[in-house]
Structure formats: structure tokens, C-alpha cells
Amino acid sequence: MRLLIAAWAATRTVLLLCVFKVITVPGPDVTSDVSVIYQGWYRVLSTGVFPPDDVTWQYPPAAALAILSPALLPFLEYPAAFYVLACAADAAAFALLLYASRRGTRPERGRGRGRSRAGVWVWVAGVPLLGPTVYARYDLMVTAVAVAALLALSRSPRTAGALAAFGALLKVWPALLLVGTPRGRVTRAVWGAAVAAALVLTAAFAAAMPGALDFLTHQRDRGTEVESVGALVFHVARHFGWEGQVLLNYGSVEFLGPYVDLVSTAALLCTAAAFGWMLRWRLRAVEWTASTAADAAFAAVLLFTVTSRVISPQYMVWLVGLAAVCVTLRTGRQGLPAVLVVVATGVTLLEFPLNFGSVVASDALGVTLLVVRNGLLVAAAVLACARLWRTTVTEPLHRTEGAPGGAGDGEDGEDGDERGRGAKAPEPEGGLVSR
């Protein structure tokens, strides 16, 4: 544990030195989002309204809390306060993962201990691989909430639901944490708490601050962001005479021009198909373990990421956080997808900010980095989904079919052991093993 703490402290010191510009990182200034954009929003939000007619404000209402949070440290200038709070959120997620790894391995020794600590290492190593960008965006704060929600599920489903709702009102994607909750009592508790918390918080923001829901219409005319999977079409097409442009649009660098609408629509259709697959998985799943909810959330966010019109560098911290939770939980099998995500995070640092000029220019280096990074993410998504299906659908059905007398054999019937061994197993806290 001392080595983990020392590694976290050393790497985070480097990150802070980068955002405070003691260490200079080549490429675009990643801190300008905080010092210019966030601070500008802060001034508007401080007046009690959301940014009016600002299409770059594309976030749910609770995002205002993240932007306003530096007010908690009035003795610091806005950027400095933001970086300190980002580091605090990083420390909170680290502490939660470390506590979960210790609590989860007390009954076991050897193999279980090493594996659960590996999840903490995913966080310790994965976050700094994104470089200073990770402290210069509020996504790390959102990820810390998501980590807390998944780790709370086994002990307090209602708390997990409320945290997931709060996360979704910070940046939408934590709503996907709900996709893998066990059927029955746990799902009713989690989803009920999530809906209640979301309604209360949304109503409070809408009543207190005009423009709380304007973000819903601020992404209608987006193009295809240059780092997305779909953007690879245009990076290659530029070498064959495609006449489009690369412009700053809706707060990100996007392709605009012929056929962009077609590729963007195809991305939306792929996202719909991905969610259709997740729905089919949920309907077909027959077994839940303590890690299934985290595994499903990891798979869903990976699918959302690779099919999105936008893959901003900070999205990687979402995946690192979910991967860390999956590996921390002993019953999970997302080790290889987690490794691919960590590697992809390191490649992301190479393409942004270090070689972002090459990406924008669509030169050989930029295209190669995008192919490698996006290829790793697609591979991680496919593997995560395949492992989720195998552990919750295929393997349980095979065990059931192979058991004497089939699923109905034995006096326990369908309430028997979730592993299909014929004896009823005690349900862990929170009811996370079910059929």
C-alpha cells in the first residue's frame, strides 16, 4: 500500500507542476479551458443564470456546481483553485478504490489480493497517462462520483442510485451506470433513487437558475470531431481531394463539409445499435455477480465512446475510472480491456496535446496515432462486451444445461446457487448475486 500511495503522490505532483506551468508540456495550452472558458462561465453562473445563447455550454445543470466549485477556495485564483479541487477529486477516487480493495480482500489471500490491488494501480497509472489535460477539465470530478456510485452499490443501492443521478446531471454518461444493476429489488431501489434524485435536482436548478435545460438544444448542428472514430474517414479523404474544412465548432475542432452529416448520422445510428445490444444483453442475462454492474457500465461507456461523434481526450478518464472499479472487484473479468484502455490513454497523450498539430493536419503521424488509439478503444469495447455476455449469459446457461436434471433439478429450483451448483448460496450485501 505504501508503494501505491507513493506512486500516486509522485505522479500527481508532476500533474500539478504541469498545470501550474512549472513543467511545460509541448502542444496547445490545455489549461486555457479553465483560465478562459470555465472562468468566463463562472462569472455568468455567479449571477444566477446559465450562459445565455452560448452553444459551447453543452452540459446538464449540475455542471454549474463543478464550474462554481473554485469559490470554495476564495484565497486562490480561479485556475489554481480548480486544479487543487481536481486533485482532491483524484485523491477521493484513489482512497475509495484503495478502501474497496482492502475490504474486498480481507477474507482472501494471495491471488485475490493481487488482483484487487491491480484495480488501484489502473487508477494510479491511468490518470497521469492523460497528462495535464486530466486536471484541466471537470471530467475527473464526474469520474470520482461514478466510482463512488459503483462502489456503493453493494452496501447501499439507494445511495448508488442518487450518486449516479448526480453524476448524470454533471455530464450525462454516468446514467449508463444503471444499465447493469441486478434485476429485482436492487434495480428498483437504485433506479427509484436515481429518478427521484434527478427530478428533484433538475427541478431545483430549473427553478433557481434560468436556462438550466438549454444544453439540450446546443449540439444539434455539431460536425464530426477530429479525434473520433468516424473522423478517420475524413483524415484519409483529405489525401484524396476531399474539400471540407477543419474548424473550431461548438467548442471542439471538427470536420465540416461534404458528407460530414452522413458520417455524423451513421455515428448516431451506431450509438443506437450499441444501446440496442445493451438492452438485449440485459434481457438475456441470467446471472449477476458483485462486478456485473461495473462490467456492464464499462462496456456501455466504451460503446458510447467509440460510436460518438466526439472523442475528447478527457473522455479517457471516464474509462480509466470504470476500468479501475472493474479490476478492483474480484469477480470481474475485464482485465484485458482495462489494460487496453490504459494503453489507449497513453496514446491519447501523444496525440493531444503533444502532436495535435499533426492530427489537425491529417499527416501520417497524426493519422497513425488516431488509428492506434481508436483501434485500442474499439478492441476494448468488443472484448468488454464479449466478456460481459460470456460471464452473464453463455457460461451460466452452459452450467445449467450441464447440471443433472437441468435448471429445475434439486429442491432449490431456480432459487438455487447462482453458479448452478445445486445449493443455495448466501446473497452478499446489496443483493449483487442474483438470477
Side-chain angles (χ1 to χ4, degrees), residues 114-138:
R115 186 169 187 182
S116 64
R117 287 286 173 86
V120 189
W121 278 112
V122 168
W123 182 259
V124 170
V127 169
L129 280 178
L130 193 56
T133 303
V134 76
Y135 275 10
R137 305 292 187 273
Y138 83 90

Side-chain angles (χ1 to χ4, degrees), residues 20-375:
F20 281 106
K21 299 183 180 179
V22 176
I23 297 175
T24 301
V25 177
D29 180 8
V30 301
T31 65
S32 62
D33 274 36
V34 176
S35 60
V36 178
I37 299 175
Y38 286 11
Q39 193 163 5
W41 286 338
Y42 174 85
R43 296 189 187 101
V44 176
L45 291 166
S46 297
T47 67
V49 299
F50 284 88
D53 302 319
D54 184 352
V55 295
T56 64
W57 178 263
Q58 301 164 9
Y59 310 111
L65 300 179
I67 303 302
L68 292 170
S69 62
L72 297 172
L73 303 175
F75 49 88
L76 294 175
E77 294 185 358
Y78 183 91
F82 187 90
Y83 305 143
V84 169
L85 291 172
C87 185
D90 182 358
F94 171 67
L96 287 170
L97 288 164
L98 190 59
Y99 175 74
S101 71
R102 295 182 67 190
R103 179 169 57 86
T105 56
R106 282 174 183 170
E108 302 178 356
R109 293 184 179 179
R111 180 181 176 187
R113 179 180 297 275
R115 186 169 187 182
S116 64
R117 287 286 173 86
V120 189
W121 278 112
V122 168
W123 182 259
V124 170
V127 169
L129 280 178
L130 193 56
T133 303
V134 76
Y135 275 10
R137 305 292 187 273
Y138 83 90
D139 296 76
L140 195 149
M141 301 174 183
V142 183
T143 304
V145 173
V147 168
L150 287 174
L151 294 178
L153 186 58
S154 64
R155 288 178 172 261
S156 179
R158 289 182 177 83
T159 299
L163 286 170
F166 178 56
L169 288 176
L170 283 168
K171 205 162 187 180
V172 180
W173 69 266
L176 296 173
L177 304 181
L178 305 176
V179 73
T181 55
R183 295 193 192 107
R185 177 177 60 83
V186 176
T187 285
R188 289 192 296 271
V190 174
W191 289 14
V195 170
L199 289 175
V200 169
L201 288 171
T202 301
F205 276 108
M209 298 179 68
L213 301 180
D214 287 353
F215 77 98
L216 294 172
T217 61
H218 284 176
Q219 297 199 45
R220 290 178 298 187
D221 299 320
R222 291 204 69 152
T224 294
E225 194 263 341
V226 295
E227 296 163 275
S228 65
V229 173
L232 289 170
V233 173
F234 301 111
H235 282 292
V236 174
R238 293 177 83 183
H239 294 276
F240 294 91
W242 180 69
E243 297 179 351
Q245 296 177 294
V246 177
L247 296 174
L248 183 64
N249 187 51
Y250 286 86
S252 65
V253 180
E254 300 181 351
F255 282 116
L256 299 173
Y259 309 110
V260 171
D261 288 345
L262 181 62
V263 171
S264 296
T265 300
L268 292 174
L269 291 175
C270 288
T271 298
F275 288 147
W277 184 89
M278 291 302 304
L279 176 61
R280 182 170 182 263
W281 163 78
R282 184 168 179 86
L283 294 174
R284 292 288 304 276
V286 295
E287 176 178 295
W288 269 260
T289 69
S291 65
T292 299
D295 292 348
F298 184 44
V301 175
L302 273 166
L303 289 173
F304 170 84
T305 301
V306 300
T307 61
S308 175
R309 292 175 293 174
V310 179
I311 302 182
S312 296
Q314 61 267 25
Y315 290 13
M316 298 304 301
V317 75
W318 312 350
L319 298 172
V320 168
L322 297 181
V325 174
C326 290
V327 179
T328 296
L329 300 173
R330 297 189 309 278
T331 56
R333 296 189 190 175
Q334 299 292 356
L336 180 55
V339 170
L340 294 178
V341 163
V342 171
V343 175
T345 303
V347 178
T348 300
L349 174 62
L350 295 178
E351 64 92 357
F352 183 89
L354 299 184
N355 294 287
F356 194 59
S358 292
V359 171
V360 172
S362 301
D363 67 20
L365 175 60
V367 173
T368 299
L369 289 172
L370 285 181
V371 168
V372 172
R373 195 281 302 275
N374 291 347

